[in-house]
Amino acid sequence: MTQEVGQDVQPVLHERLVTLLTSHLDVKAEPEQLTAETTFESLGMDSLSLMELVVAAEEEFGIVLPEEAVELSPAATLGEAARMFDHAR
């Protein structure tokens, strides 16, 4: 399945990322409220919780994320993270 430019990264990886956030990292948000435009900051996540996300994603998805993934900022969106995780697969 190919993504069109500008289209949300919704399919499987996004669902798994949402699951990681809501269950593993205990983010208090309903999964349907989490969109590609949602920022980590709006979820109350700081740099430390983003590091936890990177480690959890590497374990969950069986990937090794590039160095720039470690530099995800709280202002980054779920869509940006999902694309980064997808490219690391």
Side-chain angles (χ1 to χ4, degrees):
M1 169 181 246
T2 41
Q3 296 279 323
E4 295 296 323
V5 176
Q7 188 178 20
D8 284 350
V9 181
Q10 286 287 334
V12 178
L13 185 66
H14 187 262
E15 290 171 16
R16 291 172 69 191
L17 177 59
V18 167
T19 300
L20 257 181
L21 289 167
T22 57
S23 50
H24 184 72
L25 296 177
D26 203 30
V27 168
K28 303 293 184 220
E30 293 299 317
E32 58 273 1
Q33 296 173 318
L34 302 176
T35 69
E37 291 79 30
T38 302
T39 64
F40 292 107
E41 189 171 52
S42 72
L43 298 174
M45 296 179 71
D46 59 13
S47 298
L48 180 58
S49 54
L50 286 173
M51 285 299 298
E52 292 175 22
L53 174 64
V54 167
V55 170
E58 287 181 331
E59 291 175 3
E60 175 71 22
F61 305 144
I63 57 175
V64 176
L65 292 166
E67 196 65 34
E68 58 268 13
V70 178
E71 299 170 7
L72 271 177
S73 75
T77 66
L78 298 184
E80 291 168 339
R83 281 188 291 281
M84 189 176 296
F85 296 165
D86 189 47
H87 290 292
R89 295 174 15 174

mmCIF file of all heavy atoms in Angstrom, residues 27-70:
data_model
loop_
_atom_site.group_PDB
_atom_site.id
_atom_site.type_symbol
_atom_site.label_atom_id
_atom_site.label_comp_id
_atom_site.label_asym_id
_atom_site.label_seq_id
_atom_site.Cartn_x
_atom_site.Cartn_y
_atom_site.Cartn_z
ATOM 1 N N VAL A 27 -0.171 7.069 28.168
ATOM 2 C CA VAL A 27 -0.639 8.397 27.776
ATOM 3 C C VAL A 27 -2.149 8.432 27.962
ATOM 4 O O VAL A 27 -2.858 7.521 27.548
ATOM 5 C CB VAL A 27 -0.251 8.707 26.304
ATOM 6 C CG1 VAL A 27 -0.965 9.945 25.797
ATOM 7 C CG2 VAL A 27 1.254 8.870 26.189
ATOM 8 N N LYS A 28 -2.617 9.473 28.621
ATOM 9 C CA LYS A 28 -4.049 9.607 28.929
ATOM 10 C C LYS A 28 -4.775 10.304 27.782
ATOM 11 O O LYS A 28 -4.985 11.513 27.802
ATOM 12 C CB LYS A 28 -4.241 10.392 30.219
ATOM 13 C CG LYS A 28 -3.539 9.808 31.409
ATOM 14 C CD LYS A 28 -4.132 8.496 31.812
ATOM 15 C CE LYS A 28 -3.468 7.980 33.075
ATOM 16 N NZ LYS A 28 -3.213 6.578 33.081
ATOM 17 N N ALA A 29 -5.129 9.530 26.763
ATOM 18 C CA ALA A 29 -5.899 10.054 25.633
ATOM 19 C C ALA A 29 -6.608 8.880 24.985
ATOM 20 O O ALA A 29 -6.117 7.758 25.010
ATOM 21 C CB ALA A 29 -4.986 10.737 24.622
ATOM 22 N N GLU A 30 -7.771 9.157 24.435
ATOM 23 C CA GLU A 30 -8.491 8.132 23.703
ATOM 24 C C GLU A 30 -7.797 7.926 22.359
ATOM 25 O O GLU A 30 -7.422 8.907 21.708
ATOM 26 C CB GLU A 30 -9.947 8.546 23.477
ATOM 27 C CG GLU A 30 -10.749 8.627 24.753
ATOM 28 C CD GLU A 30 -10.836 7.294 25.477
ATOM 29 O OE1 GLU A 30 -11.041 6.260 24.818
ATOM 30 O OE2 GLU A 30 -10.691 7.292 26.708
ATOM 31 N N PRO A 31 -7.601 6.670 21.919
ATOM 32 C CA PRO A 31 -6.912 6.416 20.657
ATOM 33 C C PRO A 31 -7.477 7.199 19.472
ATOM 34 O O PRO A 31 -6.723 7.671 18.628
ATOM 35 C CB PRO A 31 -7.090 4.911 20.458
ATOM 36 C CG PRO A 31 -7.217 4.372 21.849
ATOM 37 C CD PRO A 31 -7.954 5.438 22.616
ATOM 38 N N GLU A 32 -8.792 7.395 19.426
ATOM 39 C CA GLU A 32 -9.386 8.115 18.289
ATOM 40 C C GLU A 32 -9.063 9.610 18.322
ATOM 41 O O GLU A 32 -9.225 10.309 17.333
ATOM 42 C CB GLU A 32 -10.891 7.876 18.201
ATOM 43 C CG GLU A 32 -11.688 8.270 19.409
ATOM 44 C CD GLU A 32 -11.783 7.194 20.481
ATOM 45 O OE1 GLU A 32 -11.202 6.105 20.308
ATOM 46 O OE2 GLU A 32 -12.421 7.450 21.515
ATOM 47 N N GLN A 33 -8.588 10.108 19.467
ATOM 48 C CA GLN A 33 -8.188 11.516 19.566
ATOM 49 C C GLN A 33 -6.761 11.742 19.064
ATOM 50 O O GLN A 33 -6.354 12.875 18.860
ATOM 51 C CB GLN A 33 -8.267 11.996 21.018
ATOM 52 C CG GLN A 33 -9.662 11.991 21.586
ATOM 53 C CD GLN A 33 -9.656 12.323 23.071
ATOM 54 O OE1 GLN A 33 -8.824 11.849 23.826
ATOM 55 N NE2 GLN A 33 -10.608 13.148 23.476
ATOM 56 N N LEU A 34 -5.997 10.687 18.904
ATOM 57 C CA LEU A 34 -4.602 10.798 18.495
ATOM 58 C C LEU A 34 -4.514 10.754 16.972
ATOM 59 O O LEU A 34 -4.828 9.754 16.353
ATOM 60 C CB LEU A 34 -3.770 9.670 19.108
ATOM 61 C CG LEU A 34 -3.796 9.604 20.636
ATOM 62 C CD1 LEU A 34 -3.028 8.393 21.120
ATOM 63 C CD2 LEU A 34 -3.270 10.874 21.248
ATOM 64 N N THR A 35 -4.089 11.866 16.396
ATOM 65 C CA THR A 35 -3.983 11.965 14.946
ATOM 66 C C THR A 35 -2.527 12.198 14.563
ATOM 67 O O THR A 35 -1.674 12.422 15.429
ATOM 68 C CB THR A 35 -4.828 13.135 14.407
ATOM 69 O OG1 THR A 35 -4.224 14.365 14.830
ATOM 70 C CG2 THR A 35 -6.269 13.058 14.879
ATOM 71 N N ALA A 36 -2.262 12.206 13.275
ATOM 72 C CA ALA A 36 -0.916 12.457 12.781
ATOM 73 C C ALA A 36 -0.441 13.853 13.169
ATOM 74 O O ALA A 36 0.760 14.099 13.266
ATOM 75 C CB ALA A 36 -0.863 12.273 11.264
ATOM 76 N N GLU A 37 -1.358 14.778 13.433
ATOM 77 C CA GLU A 37 -0.998 16.157 13.787
ATOM 78 C C GLU A 37 -0.817 16.363 15.292
ATOM 79 O O GLU A 37 -0.379 17.433 15.721
ATOM 80 C CB GLU A 37 -2.057 17.147 13.275
ATOM 81 C CG GLU A 37 -2.084 17.271 11.764
ATOM 82 C CD GLU A 37 -2.829 16.117 11.093
ATOM 83 O OE1 GLU A 37 -3.763 15.560 11.710
ATOM 84 O OE2 GLU A 37 -2.465 15.756 9.974
ATOM 85 N N THR A 38 -1.164 15.371 16.098
ATOM 86 C CA THR A 38 -1.027 15.483 17.546
ATOM 87 C C THR A 38 0.450 15.586 17.919
ATOM 88 O O THR A 38 1.256 14.782 17.469
ATOM 89 C CB THR A 38 -1.638 14.251 18.245
ATOM 90 O OG1 THR A 38 -3.011 14.129 17.877
ATOM 91 C CG2 THR A 38 -1.534 14.357 19.760
ATOM 92 N N THR A 39 0.794 16.575 18.737
ATOM 93 C CA THR A 39 2.189 16.698 19.178
ATOM 94 C C THR A 39 2.384 15.916 20.478
ATOM 95 O O THR A 39 1.437 15.697 21.238
ATOM 96 C CB THR A 39 2.589 18.167 19.428
ATOM 97 O OG1 THR A 39 1.812 18.678 20.509
ATOM 98 C CG2 THR A 39 2.424 19.018 18.181
ATOM 99 N N PHE A 40 3.627 15.516 20.708
ATOM 100 C CA PHE A 40 3.942 14.823 21.958
ATOM 101 C C PHE A 40 3.749 15.765 23.144
ATOM 102 O O PHE A 40 3.311 15.346 24.210
ATOM 103 C CB PHE A 40 5.372 14.273 21.915
ATOM 104 C CG PHE A 40 5.522 13.157 20.926
ATOM 105 C CD1 PHE A 40 6.206 13.360 19.739
ATOM 106 C CD2 PHE A 40 4.969 11.914 21.164
ATOM 107 C CE1 PHE A 40 6.333 12.330 18.812
ATOM 108 C CE2 PHE A 40 5.089 10.887 20.252
ATOM 109 C CZ PHE A 40 5.775 11.088 19.070
ATOM 110 N N GLU A 41 4.060 17.028 22.944
ATOM 111 C CA GLU A 41 3.899 18.034 23.984
ATOM 112 C C GLU A 41 2.444 18.130 24.442
ATOM 113 O O GLU A 41 2.162 18.223 25.639
ATOM 114 C CB GLU A 41 4.375 19.378 23.433
ATOM 115 C CG GLU A 41 4.486 20.481 24.440
ATOM 116 C CD GLU A 41 5.162 21.694 23.819
ATOM 117 O OE1 GLU A 41 4.719 22.151 22.740
ATOM 118 O OE2 GLU A 41 6.125 22.152 24.408
ATOM 119 N N SER A 42 1.514 18.065 23.478
ATOM 120 C CA SER A 42 0.094 18.144 23.828
ATOM 121 C C SER A 42 -0.365 16.931 24.640
ATOM 122 O O SER A 42 -1.401 16.970 25.291
ATOM 123 C CB SER A 42 -0.770 18.300 22.570
ATOM 124 O OG SER A 42 -0.803 17.095 21.828
ATOM 125 N N LEU A 43 0.437 15.865 24.600
ATOM 126 C CA LEU A 43 0.127 14.658 25.369
ATOM 127 C C LEU A 43 0.834 14.660 26.716
ATOM 128 O O LEU A 43 0.763 13.693 27.467
ATOM 129 C CB LEU A 43 0.550 13.410 24.577
ATOM 130 C CG LEU A 43 -0.149 13.212 23.237
ATOM 131 C CD1 LEU A 43 0.452 12.029 22.497
ATOM 132 C CD2 LEU A 43 -1.646 13.034 23.421
ATOM 133 N N GLY A 44 1.557 15.763 27.000
ATOM 134 C CA GLY A 44 2.266 15.869 28.270
ATOM 135 C C GLY A 44 3.590 15.124 28.290
ATOM 136 O O GLY A 44 4.118 14.826 29.364
ATOM 137 N N MET A 45 4.121 14.808 27.100
ATOM 138 C CA MET A 45 5.377 14.066 27.032
ATOM 139 C C MET A 45 6.563 15.027 26.958
ATOM 140 O O MET A 45 6.521 16.005 26.228
ATOM 141 C CB MET A 45 5.367 13.128 25.827
ATOM 142 C CG MET A 45 4.311 12.047 25.932
ATOM 143 S SD MET A 45 4.261 10.955 24.501
ATOM 144 C CE MET A 45 5.787 10.028 24.738
ATOM 145 N N ASP A 46 7.603 14.697 27.722
ATOM 146 C CA ASP A 46 8.826 15.492 27.701
ATOM 147 C C ASP A 46 9.942 14.675 27.044
ATOM 148 O O ASP A 46 9.705 13.586 26.524
ATOM 149 C CB ASP A 46 9.210 15.926 29.120
ATOM 150 C CG ASP A 46 9.437 14.740 30.056
ATOM 151 O OD1 ASP A 46 9.544 13.579 29.588
ATOM 152 O OD2 ASP A 46 9.513 14.969 31.274
ATOM 153 N N SER A 47 11.166 15.184 27.089
ATOM 154 C CA SER A 47 12.301 14.516 26.443
ATOM 155 C C SER A 47 12.529 13.115 26.998
ATOM 156 O O SER A 47 12.832 12.188 26.249
ATOM 157 C CB SER A 47 13.575 15.350 26.606
ATOM 158 O OG SER A 47 13.409 16.594 25.975
ATOM 159 N N LEU A 48 12.376 12.945 28.297
ATOM 160 C CA LEU A 48 12.580 11.631 28.905
ATOM 161 C C LEU A 48 11.532 10.636 28.416
ATOM 162 O O LEU A 48 11.860 9.495 28.057
ATOM 163 C CB LEU A 48 12.543 11.737 30.430
ATOM 164 C CG LEU A 48 12.747 10.427 31.185
ATOM 165 C CD1 LEU A 48 14.094 9.789 30.812
ATOM 166 C CD2 LEU A 48 12.665 10.650 32.677
ATOM 167 N N SER A 49 10.277 11.049 28.367
ATOM 168 C CA SER A 49 9.232 10.132 27.907
ATOM 169 C C SER A 49 9.399 9.825 26.421
ATOM 170 O O SER A 49 9.049 8.728 25.970
ATOM 171 C CB SER A 49 7.833 10.659 28.221
ATOM 172 O OG SER A 49 7.640 11.942 27.712
ATOM 173 N N LEU A 50 9.977 10.754 25.650
ATOM 174 C CA LEU A 50 10.250 10.475 24.237
ATOM 175 C C LEU A 50 11.356 9.436 24.101
ATOM 176 O O LEU A 50 11.306 8.590 23.204
ATOM 177 C CB LEU A 50 10.612 11.755 23.489
ATOM 178 C CG LEU A 50 9.419 12.667 23.216
ATOM 179 C CD1 LEU A 50 9.887 13.993 22.636
ATOM 180 C CD2 LEU A 50 8.429 12.012 22.281
ATOM 181 N N MET A 51 12.346 9.477 24.985
ATOM 182 C CA MET A 51 13.388 8.441 24.979
ATOM 183 C C MET A 51 12.762 7.075 25.284
ATOM 184 O O MET A 51 13.109 6.073 24.674
ATOM 185 C CB MET A 51 14.483 8.762 26.001
ATOM 186 C CG MET A 51 15.410 9.876 25.571
ATOM 187 S SD MET A 51 16.299 9.496 24.040
ATOM 188 C CE MET A 51 17.226 8.070 24.522
ATOM 189 N N GLU A 52 11.837 7.055 26.236
ATOM 190 C CA GLU A 52 11.131 5.814 26.565
ATOM 191 C C GLU A 52 10.354 5.316 25.347
ATOM 192 O O GLU A 52 10.318 4.113 25.076
ATOM 193 C CB GLU A 52 10.178 6.029 27.738
ATOM 194 C CG GLU A 52 10.870 6.288 29.045
ATOM 195 C CD GLU A 52 9.896 6.614 30.170
ATOM 196 O OE1 GLU A 52 8.703 6.254 30.078
ATOM 197 O OE2 GLU A 52 10.327 7.248 31.145
ATOM 198 N N LEU A 53 9.738 6.231 24.613
ATOM 199 C CA LEU A 53 9.003 5.871 23.402
ATOM 200 C C LEU A 53 9.932 5.255 22.364
ATOM 201 O O LEU A 53 9.605 4.243 21.751
ATOM 202 C CB LEU A 53 8.295 7.086 22.813
ATOM 203 C CG LEU A 53 7.619 6.867 21.458
ATOM 204 C CD1 LEU A 53 6.477 5.859 21.573
ATOM 205 C CD2 LEU A 53 7.131 8.182 20.885
ATOM 206 N N VAL A 54 11.094 5.860 22.161
ATOM 207 C CA VAL A 54 12.058 5.337 21.178
ATOM 208 C C VAL A 54 12.462 3.913 21.545
ATOM 209 O O VAL A 54 12.444 3.007 20.704
ATOM 210 C CB VAL A 54 13.293 6.260 21.067
ATOM 211 C CG1 VAL A 54 14.422 5.594 20.311
ATOM 212 C CG2 VAL A 54 12.903 7.576 20.395
ATOM 213 N N VAL A 55 12.800 3.677 22.812
ATOM 214 C CA VAL A 55 13.201 2.346 23.266
ATOM 215 C C VAL A 55 12.044 1.354 23.094
ATOM 216 O O VAL A 55 12.224 0.248 22.580
ATOM 217 C CB VAL A 55 13.684 2.382 24.731
ATOM 218 C CG1 VAL A 55 13.877 0.981 25.292
ATOM 219 C CG2 VAL A 55 14.978 3.185 24.834
ATOM 220 N N ALA A 56 10.847 1.759 23.498
ATOM 221 C CA ALA A 56 9.680 0.879 23.374
ATOM 222 C C ALA A 56 9.378 0.572 21.917
ATOM 223 O O ALA A 56 9.047 -0.566 21.563
ATOM 224 C CB ALA A 56 8.464 1.526 24.043
ATOM 225 N N ALA A 57 9.495 1.576 21.040
ATOM 226 C CA ALA A 57 9.233 1.360 19.610
ATOM 227 C C ALA A 57 10.262 0.406 19.010
ATOM 228 O O ALA A 57 9.909 -0.460 18.210
ATOM 229 C CB ALA A 57 9.248 2.690 18.863
ATOM 230 N N GLU A 58 11.517 0.563 19.393
ATOM 231 C CA GLU A 58 12.543 -0.344 18.873
ATOM 232 C C GLU A 58 12.246 -1.784 19.275
ATOM 233 O O GLU A 58 12.351 -2.703 18.462
ATOM 234 C CB GLU A 58 13.930 0.083 19.371
ATOM 235 C CG GLU A 58 14.429 1.331 18.705
ATOM 236 C CD GLU A 58 15.810 1.760 19.151
ATOM 237 O OE1 GLU A 58 16.205 1.473 20.313
ATOM 238 O OE2 GLU A 58 16.505 2.377 18.340
ATOM 239 N N GLU A 59 11.843 -1.974 20.528
ATOM 240 C CA GLU A 59 11.502 -3.318 20.997
ATOM 241 C C GLU A 59 10.238 -3.846 20.320
ATOM 242 O O GLU A 59 10.202 -4.975 19.841
ATOM 243 C CB GLU A 59 11.318 -3.312 22.510
ATOM 244 C CG GLU A 59 12.603 -3.091 23.263
ATOM 245 C CD GLU A 59 12.388 -2.961 24.762
ATOM 246 O OE1 GLU A 59 11.243 -3.103 25.252
ATOM 247 O OE2 GLU A 59 13.386 -2.697 25.455
ATOM 248 N N GLU A 60 9.191 -3.032 20.269
ATOM 249 C CA GLU A 60 7.897 -3.449 19.716
ATOM 250 C C GLU A 60 7.964 -3.736 18.222
ATOM 251 O O GLU A 60 7.404 -4.702 17.738
ATOM 252 C CB GLU A 60 6.852 -2.359 19.992
ATOM 253 C CG GLU A 60 5.491 -2.600 19.360
ATOM 254 C CD GLU A 60 4.722 -3.734 20.010
ATOM 255 O OE1 GLU A 60 5.006 -4.086 21.165
ATOM 256 O OE2 GLU A 60 3.819 -4.274 19.336
ATOM 257 N N PHE A 61 8.638 -2.864 17.484
ATOM 258 C CA PHE A 61 8.662 -2.976 16.028
ATOM 259 C C PHE A 61 9.872 -3.752 15.511
ATOM 260 O O PHE A 61 9.980 -3.997 14.313
ATOM 261 C CB PHE A 61 8.639 -1.586 15.369
ATOM 262 C CG PHE A 61 7.482 -0.723 15.801
ATOM 263 C CD1 PHE A 61 7.655 0.650 15.945
ATOM 264 C CD2 PHE A 61 6.225 -1.234 16.067
ATOM 265 C CE1 PHE A 61 6.602 1.475 16.342
ATOM 266 C CE2 PHE A 61 5.172 -0.434 16.466
ATOM 267 C CZ PHE A 61 5.356 0.921 16.603
ATOM 268 N N GLY A 62 10.825 -4.103 16.406
ATOM 269 C CA GLY A 62 12.013 -4.835 15.982
ATOM 270 C C GLY A 62 12.887 -4.025 15.039
ATOM 271 O O GLY A 62 13.375 -4.550 14.038
ATOM 272 N N ILE A 63 13.070 -2.737 15.364
ATOM 273 C CA ILE A 63 13.833 -1.835 14.504
ATOM 274 C C ILE A 63 14.944 -1.177 15.314
ATOM 275 O O ILE A 63 14.936 -1.221 16.539
ATOM 276 C CB ILE A 63 12.943 -0.729 13.895
ATOM 277 C CG1 ILE A 63 12.235 0.070 14.995
ATOM 278 C CG2 ILE A 63 11.925 -1.310 12.937
ATOM 279 C CD1 ILE A 63 11.428 1.255 14.513
ATOM 280 N N VAL A 64 15.878 -0.590 14.610
ATOM 281 C CA VAL A 64 16.870 0.268 15.236
ATOM 282 C C VAL A 64 16.686 1.639 14.603
ATOM 283 O O VAL A 64 16.827 1.790 13.387
ATOM 284 C CB VAL A 64 18.309 -0.250 15.006
ATOM 285 C CG1 VAL A 64 19.320 0.723 15.590
ATOM 286 C CG2 VAL A 64 18.476 -1.640 15.599
ATOM 287 N N LEU A 65 16.327 2.594 15.415
ATOM 288 C CA LEU A 65 16.027 3.924 14.901
ATOM 289 C C LEU A 65 17.306 4.716 14.641
ATOM 290 O O LEU A 65 18.287 4.557 15.352
ATOM 291 C CB LEU A 65 15.136 4.681 15.884
ATOM 292 C CG LEU A 65 13.735 4.101 15.985
ATOM 293 C CD1 LEU A 65 13.008 4.647 17.189
ATOM 294 C CD2 LEU A 65 12.959 4.424 14.726
ATOM 295 N N PRO A 66 17.271 5.558 13.622
ATOM 296 C CA PRO A 66 18.432 6.394 13.317
ATOM 297 C C PRO A 66 18.673 7.407 14.433
ATOM 298 O O PRO A 66 17.790 7.677 15.253
ATOM 299 C CB PRO A 66 18.038 7.095 12.012
ATOM 300 C CG PRO A 66 16.555 7.064 11.999
ATOM 301 C CD PRO A 66 16.151 5.817 12.733
ATOM 302 N N GLU A 67 19.867 7.959 14.453
ATOM 303 C CA GLU A 67 20.274 8.913 15.476
ATOM 304 C C GLU A 67 19.274 10.064 15.644
ATOM 305 O O GLU A 67 18.986 10.483 16.758
ATOM 306 C CB GLU A 67 21.647 9.481 15.120
ATOM 307 C CG GLU A 67 22.339 10.169 16.254
ATOM 308 C CD GLU A 67 22.715 9.248 17.411
ATOM 309 O OE1 GLU A 67 23.047 8.069 17.182
ATOM 310 O OE2 GLU A 67 22.663 9.708 18.549
ATOM 311 N N GLU A 68 18.716 10.567 14.534
ATOM 312 C CA GLU A 68 17.784 11.687 14.648
ATOM 313 C C GLU A 68 16.498 11.322 15.389
ATOM 314 O O GLU A 68 15.820 12.196 15.918
ATOM 315 C CB GLU A 68 17.467 12.318 13.285
ATOM 316 C CG GLU A 68 16.889 11.386 12.269
ATOM 317 C CD GLU A 68 17.945 10.731 11.369
ATOM 318 O OE1 GLU A 68 19.128 10.791 11.670
ATOM 319 O OE2 GLU A 68 17.537 10.153 10.351
ATOM 320 N N ALA A 69 16.156 10.042 15.478
ATOM 321 C CA ALA A 69 14.966 9.634 16.227
ATOM 322 C C ALA A 69 15.160 9.904 17.712
ATOM 323 O O ALA A 69 14.219 10.216 18.426
ATOM 324 C CB ALA A 69 14.670 8.162 16.000
ATOM 325 N N VAL A 70 16.394 9.795 18.151
ATOM 326 C CA VAL A 70 16.694 10.043 19.551
ATOM 327 C C VAL A 70 16.495 11.524 19.863
ATOM 328 O O VAL A 70 16.314 11.909 20.999
ATOM 329 C CB VAL A 70 18.139 9.594 19.868
ATOM 330 C CG1 VAL A 70 18.514 9.868 21.304
ATOM 331 C CG2 VAL A 70 18.292 8.110 19.551
#
